[in-house]
Amino acid sequence: MINYNNKTFVTISNSENGDTTEETVYSYKQSGNQVTATYKGGPIKSGFVEASADVFGNLQMQYYHTNEKNELITGICTSTPERMPNGKIRIIEDWQWTCKHFPNGRSILEEIDPLDDNELVFNNRKQITYSI
């Protein structure tokens, strides 16, 4: 089973109608099959994930966040992990908002090494600054 505890992820791609960007950073925790995460960065002021993991590390989750427009966005998501050649985790997220006009989409997150505040992270396409 994939263990998400103390893992840090960044968004590497998102559907056009999604709120997260390459500046959004996620901090995951896991206890048994319960997985939680906080996230922020880019247009996200703060967000929270509550999920249940199956034996393969697939996540069934609910999430909510407040964006830079001060909108509270809620949603559900099915996340499928895969191991990248470097041993880190990539998460494919198929999500659906449960508010507004109920859009759906797909996001891809990749695990990064946690760094001190204001360190630079080199993503596939651009350099971003984040703090956890």
Side-chain angles (χ1 to χ4, degrees), residues 27-56:
S27 298
Y28 274 68
K29 299 289 183 195
Q30 182 170 355
S31 178
N33 72 335
Q34 181 183 8
V35 178
T36 59
T38 57
Y39 58 105
K40 66 181 180 177
I44 306 298
K45 289 183 173 183
S46 66
F48 187 77
V49 169
E50 180 81 30
S52 179
D54 68 14
V55 296
F56 302 106

Side-chain angles (χ1 to χ4, degrees), residues 83-131:
R83 286 276 181 199
M84 297 186 298
N86 64 6
K88 300 216 181 279
I89 303 167
R90 174 181 291 138
I91 304 172
I92 312 299
E93 298 185 324
D94 291 307
W95 50 264
Q96 168 94 48
W97 285 1
T98 56
C99 63
K100 294 181 73 172
H101 55 285
F102 305 103
N104 64 342
R106 174 173 275 189
S107 302
I108 300 175
L109 311 181
E110 287 187 358
E111 181 183 356
I112 60 169
D113 291 324
L115 301 172
D116 293 331
D117 287 354
N118 300 318
E119 294 251 359
L120 296 179
V121 174
F122 290 90
N123 195 306
N124 289 338
R125 292 181 300 276
K126 71 177 210 176
Q127 179 178 327
I128 59 175
T129 301
Y130 77 94
S131 63

Side-chain angles (χ1 to χ4, degrees), residues 58-63 76-80 91-96 105-107:
N58 298 305
L59 301 175
Q60 293 296 319
M61 69 173 63
Q62 294 183 339
Y63 63 90
I76 56 174
C77 181
T78 300
S79 296
T80 306
I91 304 172
I92 312 299
E93 298 185 324
D94 291 307
W95 50 264
Q96 168 94 48
R106 174 173 275 189
S107 302

